[in-house]
Amino acid sequence: MIRKEIGLKIARLRKEAGLSQRDLAEKSGLTQNTIYKIENGKFSVGIDVLCKATEALGKKLDII
């Protein structure tokens, strides 16, 4: 449940920033597949990965 909620928030922030999954992957140093899995709740994201994604979106981790 929490994975899905985090994924939905990351997807919303990404879309608000006008980024594709590929764009976010490039900015964060993660793979597009990882971004897809996070956004769809198929990946149990660690703090380090979550920090990379949120920083690439110009947000602080507390936004999640």
Side-chain angles (χ1 to χ4, degrees):
M1 183 74 145
I2 193 97
R3 288 187 305 200
K4 188 66 173 173
E5 291 173 21
I6 290 171
L8 290 173
K9 288 181 182 181
I10 293 289
R12 180 179 52 80
L13 292 170
R14 176 183 58 77
K15 290 173 186 174
E16 286 174 1
L19 298 173
S20 67
Q21 288 181 344
R22 177 174 287 170
D23 294 334
L24 179 54
E26 289 175 6
K27 288 183 74 159
S28 65
L30 302 170
T31 66
Q32 184 176 354
N33 190 43
T34 297
I35 300 298
Y36 169 83
K37 287 180 180 180
I38 291 170
E39 289 186 357
N40 288 281
K42 299 180 184 300
F43 184 74
S44 186
V45 63
I47 290 292
D48 56 335
V49 172
L50 193 54
C51 283
K52 287 179 182 181
T54 55
E55 287 174 6
L57 290 165
K59 304 292 183 184
K60 294 186 184 244
L61 187 56
D62 64 354
I63 194 76
I64 301 300

PDB file of all heavy atoms in Angstrom, residues 21-32 34-35 48-49 51-53 55-56:
ATOM      1  N   GLN A  21       9.091   9.924 -17.877  1.00  0.00           N
ATOM      2  CA  GLN A  21       9.839   8.984 -17.037  1.00  0.00           C
ATOM      3  C   GLN A  21      11.296   8.957 -17.460  1.00  0.00           C
ATOM      4  O   GLN A  21      12.186   8.889 -16.608  1.00  0.00           O
ATOM      5  CB  GLN A  21       9.236   7.587 -17.110  1.00  0.00           C
ATOM      6  CG  GLN A  21       7.920   7.461 -16.391  1.00  0.00           C
ATOM      7  CD  GLN A  21       7.343   6.062 -16.449  1.00  0.00           C
ATOM      8  OE1 GLN A  21       7.746   5.222 -17.243  1.00  0.00           O
ATOM      9  NE2 GLN A  21       6.358   5.813 -15.598  1.00  0.00           N
ATOM     10  N   ARG A  22      11.544   9.030 -18.744  1.00  0.00           N
ATOM     11  CA  ARG A  22      12.917   9.030 -19.253  1.00  0.00           C
ATOM     12  C   ARG A  22      13.671  10.268 -18.766  1.00  0.00           C
ATOM     13  O   ARG A  22      14.815  10.181 -18.339  1.00  0.00           O
ATOM     14  CB  ARG A  22      12.933   8.975 -20.772  1.00  0.00           C
ATOM     15  CG  ARG A  22      14.346   9.055 -21.351  1.00  0.00           C
ATOM     16  CD  ARG A  22      14.356   8.860 -22.824  1.00  0.00           C
ATOM     17  NE  ARG A  22      14.088   7.442 -23.042  1.00  0.00           N
ATOM     18  CZ  ARG A  22      13.835   6.898 -24.209  1.00  0.00           C
ATOM     19  NH1 ARG A  22      13.791   7.645 -25.291  1.00  0.00           N
ATOM     20  NH2 ARG A  22      13.614   5.611 -24.319  1.00  0.00           N
ATOM     21  N   ASP A  23      13.012  11.436 -18.809  1.00  0.00           N
ATOM     22  CA  ASP A  23      13.638  12.673 -18.327  1.00  0.00           C
ATOM     23  C   ASP A  23      14.021  12.555 -16.858  1.00  0.00           C
ATOM     24  O   ASP A  23      15.132  12.919 -16.454  1.00  0.00           O
ATOM     25  CB  ASP A  23      12.694  13.865 -18.483  1.00  0.00           C
ATOM     26  CG  ASP A  23      12.376  14.218 -19.923  1.00  0.00           C
ATOM     27  OD1 ASP A  23      13.202  13.927 -20.814  1.00  0.00           O
ATOM     28  OD2 ASP A  23      11.290  14.795 -20.154  1.00  0.00           O
ATOM     29  N   LEU A  24      13.090  12.050 -16.052  1.00  0.00           N
ATOM     30  CA  LEU A  24      13.360  11.903 -14.621  1.00  0.00           C
ATOM     31  C   LEU A  24      14.486  10.905 -14.388  1.00  0.00           C
ATOM     32  O   LEU A  24      15.342  11.119 -13.527  1.00  0.00           O
ATOM     33  CB  LEU A  24      12.091  11.479 -13.867  1.00  0.00           C
ATOM     34  CG  LEU A  24      12.255  11.280 -12.362  1.00  0.00           C
ATOM     35  CD1 LEU A  24      12.847  12.517 -11.690  1.00  0.00           C
ATOM     36  CD2 LEU A  24      10.931  10.896 -11.730  1.00  0.00           C
ATOM     37  N   ALA A  25      14.492   9.839 -15.153  1.00  0.00           N
ATOM     38  CA  ALA A  25      15.556   8.842 -15.023  1.00  0.00           C
ATOM     39  C   ALA A  25      16.920   9.482 -15.295  1.00  0.00           C
ATOM     40  O   ALA A  25      17.868   9.292 -14.527  1.00  0.00           O
ATOM     41  CB  ALA A  25      15.311   7.679 -15.977  1.00  0.00           C
ATOM     42  N   GLU A  26      17.007  10.258 -16.351  1.00  0.00           N
ATOM     43  CA  GLU A  26      18.274  10.903 -16.691  1.00  0.00           C
ATOM     44  C   GLU A  26      18.702  11.900 -15.630  1.00  0.00           C
ATOM     45  O   GLU A  26      19.872  11.955 -15.255  1.00  0.00           O
ATOM     46  CB  GLU A  26      18.159  11.592 -18.060  1.00  0.00           C
ATOM     47  CG  GLU A  26      18.095  10.611 -19.211  1.00  0.00           C
ATOM     48  CD  GLU A  26      17.850  11.275 -20.561  1.00  0.00           C
ATOM     49  OE1 GLU A  26      17.832  12.529 -20.643  1.00  0.00           O
ATOM     50  OE2 GLU A  26      17.686  10.531 -21.546  1.00  0.00           O
ATOM     51  N   LYS A  27      17.757  12.694 -15.123  1.00  0.00           N
ATOM     52  CA  LYS A  27      18.086  13.697 -14.109  1.00  0.00           C
ATOM     53  C   LYS A  27      18.482  13.077 -12.777  1.00  0.00           C
ATOM     54  O   LYS A  27      19.276  13.649 -12.041  1.00  0.00           O
ATOM     55  CB  LYS A  27      16.897  14.637 -13.890  1.00  0.00           C
ATOM     56  CG  LYS A  27      16.657  15.599 -15.030  1.00  0.00           C
ATOM     57  CD  LYS A  27      15.524  16.549 -14.715  1.00  0.00           C
ATOM     58  CE  LYS A  27      16.044  17.539 -13.700  1.00  0.00           C
ATOM     59  NZ  LYS A  27      15.291  18.785 -13.649  1.00  0.00           N
ATOM     60  N   SER A  28      17.931  11.918 -12.473  1.00  0.00           N
ATOM     61  CA  SER A  28      18.156  11.293 -11.175  1.00  0.00           C
ATOM     62  C   SER A  28      19.279  10.258 -11.170  1.00  0.00           C
ATOM     63  O   SER A  28      19.738   9.851 -10.112  1.00  0.00           O
ATOM     64  CB  SER A  28      16.875  10.613 -10.685  1.00  0.00           C
ATOM     65  OG  SER A  28      16.519   9.541 -11.546  1.00  0.00           O
ATOM     66  N   GLY A  29      19.686   9.821 -12.361  1.00  0.00           N
ATOM     67  CA  GLY A  29      20.693   8.769 -12.430  1.00  0.00           C
ATOM     68  C   GLY A  29      20.111   7.376 -12.232  1.00  0.00           C
ATOM     69  O   GLY A  29      20.843   6.404 -12.069  1.00  0.00           O
ATOM     70  N   LEU A  30      18.785   7.292 -12.256  1.00  0.00           N
ATOM     71  CA  LEU A  30      18.102   5.999 -12.151  1.00  0.00           C
ATOM     72  C   LEU A  30      17.720   5.550 -13.553  1.00  0.00           C
ATOM     73  O   LEU A  30      17.771   6.331 -14.497  1.00  0.00           O
ATOM     74  CB  LEU A  30      16.856   6.142 -11.277  1.00  0.00           C
ATOM     75  CG  LEU A  30      17.095   6.646  -9.853  1.00  0.00           C
ATOM     76  CD1 LEU A  30      15.770   6.981  -9.172  1.00  0.00           C
ATOM     77  CD2 LEU A  30      17.874   5.627  -9.043  1.00  0.00           C
ATOM     78  N   THR A  31      17.319   4.313 -13.688  1.00  0.00           N
ATOM     79  CA  THR A  31      16.874   3.839 -14.996  1.00  0.00           C
ATOM     80  C   THR A  31      15.394   4.162 -15.180  1.00  0.00           C
ATOM     81  O   THR A  31      14.648   4.329 -14.206  1.00  0.00           O
ATOM     82  CB  THR A  31      17.069   2.319 -15.151  1.00  0.00           C
ATOM     83  OG1 THR A  31      16.190   1.641 -14.234  1.00  0.00           O
ATOM     84  CG2 THR A  31      18.515   1.910 -14.902  1.00  0.00           C
ATOM     85  N   GLN A  32      14.978   4.227 -16.435  1.00  0.00           N
ATOM     86  CA  GLN A  32      13.568   4.460 -16.726  1.00  0.00           C
ATOM     87  C   GLN A  32      12.723   3.321 -16.160  1.00  0.00           C
ATOM     88  O   GLN A  32      11.619   3.541 -15.661  1.00  0.00           O
ATOM     89  CB  GLN A  32      13.346   4.603 -18.229  1.00  0.00           C
ATOM     90  CG  GLN A  32      11.916   4.952 -18.585  1.00  0.00           C
ATOM     91  CD  GLN A  32      11.717   5.187 -20.070  1.00  0.00           C
ATOM     92  OE1 GLN A  32      12.659   5.203 -20.846  1.00  0.00           O
ATOM     93  NE2 GLN A  32      10.477   5.372 -20.469  1.00  0.00           N
ATOM     94  N   THR A  34      13.311   1.649 -13.452  1.00  0.00           N
ATOM     95  CA  THR A  34      13.170   1.876 -12.014  1.00  0.00           C
ATOM     96  C   THR A  34      12.091   2.915 -11.743  1.00  0.00           C
ATOM     97  O   THR A  34      11.256   2.727 -10.854  1.00  0.00           O
ATOM     98  CB  THR A  34      14.506   2.309 -11.386  1.00  0.00           C
ATOM     99  OG1 THR A  34      15.457   1.251 -11.547  1.00  0.00           O
ATOM    100  CG2 THR A  34      14.355   2.636  -9.913  1.00  0.00           C
ATOM    101  N   ILE A  35      12.093   4.004 -12.512  1.00  0.00           N
ATOM    102  CA  ILE A  35      11.056   5.039 -12.350  1.00  0.00           C
ATOM    103  C   ILE A  35       9.679   4.432 -12.592  1.00  0.00           C
ATOM    104  O   ILE A  35       8.748   4.654 -11.817  1.00  0.00           O
ATOM    105  CB  ILE A  35      11.295   6.229 -13.308  1.00  0.00           C
ATOM    106  CG1 ILE A  35      12.656   6.894 -13.048  1.00  0.00           C
ATOM    107  CG2 ILE A  35      10.146   7.241 -13.216  1.00  0.00           C
ATOM    108  CD1 ILE A  35      12.844   7.492 -11.679  1.00  0.00           C
ATOM    109  N   ASP A  48      17.789   6.035  -0.385  1.00  0.00           N
ATOM    110  CA  ASP A  48      18.754   6.585  -1.341  1.00  0.00           C
ATOM    111  C   ASP A  48      18.124   6.796  -2.714  1.00  0.00           C
ATOM    112  O   ASP A  48      18.315   7.837  -3.345  1.00  0.00           O
ATOM    113  CB  ASP A  48      20.000   5.707  -1.443  1.00  0.00           C
ATOM    114  CG  ASP A  48      19.702   4.259  -1.799  1.00  0.00           C
ATOM    115  OD1 ASP A  48      18.580   3.783  -1.527  1.00  0.00           O
ATOM    116  OD2 ASP A  48      20.597   3.595  -2.348  1.00  0.00           O
ATOM    117  N   VAL A  49      17.341   5.851  -3.165  1.00  0.00           N
ATOM    118  CA  VAL A  49      16.670   5.962  -4.466  1.00  0.00           C
ATOM    119  C   VAL A  49      15.599   7.046  -4.401  1.00  0.00           C
ATOM    120  O   VAL A  49      15.469   7.866  -5.315  1.00  0.00           O
ATOM    121  CB  VAL A  49      16.059   4.605  -4.888  1.00  0.00           C
ATOM    122  CG1 VAL A  49      15.193   4.750  -6.124  1.00  0.00           C
ATOM    123  CG2 VAL A  49      17.165   3.590  -5.117  1.00  0.00           C
ATOM    124  N   CYS A  51      15.555   9.647  -2.489  1.00  0.00           N
ATOM    125  CA  CYS A  51      16.238  10.944  -2.454  1.00  0.00           C
ATOM    126  C   CYS A  51      16.674  11.368  -3.851  1.00  0.00           C
ATOM    127  O   CYS A  51      16.523  12.539  -4.221  1.00  0.00           O
ATOM    128  CB  CYS A  51      17.446  10.897  -1.520  1.00  0.00           C
ATOM    129  SG  CYS A  51      17.020  10.980   0.224  1.00  0.00           S
ATOM    130  N   LYS A  52      17.211  10.453  -4.626  1.00  0.00           N
ATOM    131  CA  LYS A  52      17.628  10.781  -5.991  1.00  0.00           C
ATOM    132  C   LYS A  52      16.445  11.265  -6.821  1.00  0.00           C
ATOM    133  O   LYS A  52      16.551  12.249  -7.554  1.00  0.00           O
ATOM    134  CB  LYS A  52      18.255   9.563  -6.667  1.00  0.00           C
ATOM    135  CG  LYS A  52      19.631   9.218  -6.169  1.00  0.00           C
ATOM    136  CD  LYS A  52      20.171   7.993  -6.881  1.00  0.00           C
ATOM    137  CE  LYS A  52      21.540   7.614  -6.359  1.00  0.00           C
ATOM    138  NZ  LYS A  52      22.083   6.440  -7.044  1.00  0.00           N
ATOM    139  N   ALA A  53      15.330  10.571  -6.707  1.00  0.00           N
ATOM    140  CA  ALA A  53      14.144  10.941  -7.485  1.00  0.00           C
ATOM    141  C   ALA A  53      13.599  12.292  -7.047  1.00  0.00           C
ATOM    142  O   ALA A  53      13.303  13.150  -7.892  1.00  0.00           O
ATOM    143  CB  ALA A  53      13.068   9.861  -7.365  1.00  0.00           C
ATOM    144  N   GLU A  55      15.120  14.754  -5.395  1.00  0.00           N
ATOM    145  CA  GLU A  55      16.067  15.823  -5.690  1.00  0.00           C
ATOM    146  C   GLU A  55      16.033  16.188  -7.169  1.00  0.00           C
ATOM    147  O   GLU A  55      16.115  17.358  -7.525  1.00  0.00           O
ATOM    148  CB  GLU A  55      17.469  15.425  -5.256  1.00  0.00           C
ATOM    149  CG  GLU A  55      17.667  15.447  -3.762  1.00  0.00           C
ATOM    150  CD  GLU A  55      19.007  14.905  -3.309  1.00  0.00           C
ATOM    151  OE1 GLU A  55      19.873  14.595  -4.162  1.00  0.00           O
ATOM    152  OE2 GLU A  55      19.192  14.777  -2.085  1.00  0.00           O
ATOM    153  N   ALA A  56      15.899  15.194  -8.035  1.00  0.00           N
ATOM    154  CA  ALA A  56      15.807  15.448  -9.473  1.00  0.00           C
ATOM    155  C   ALA A  56      14.547  16.225  -9.821  1.00  0.00           C
ATOM    156  O   ALA A  56      14.499  16.944 -10.808  1.00  0.00           O
ATOM    157  CB  ALA A  56      15.848  14.130 -10.251  1.00  0.00           C
TER     158      ALA A  56
END
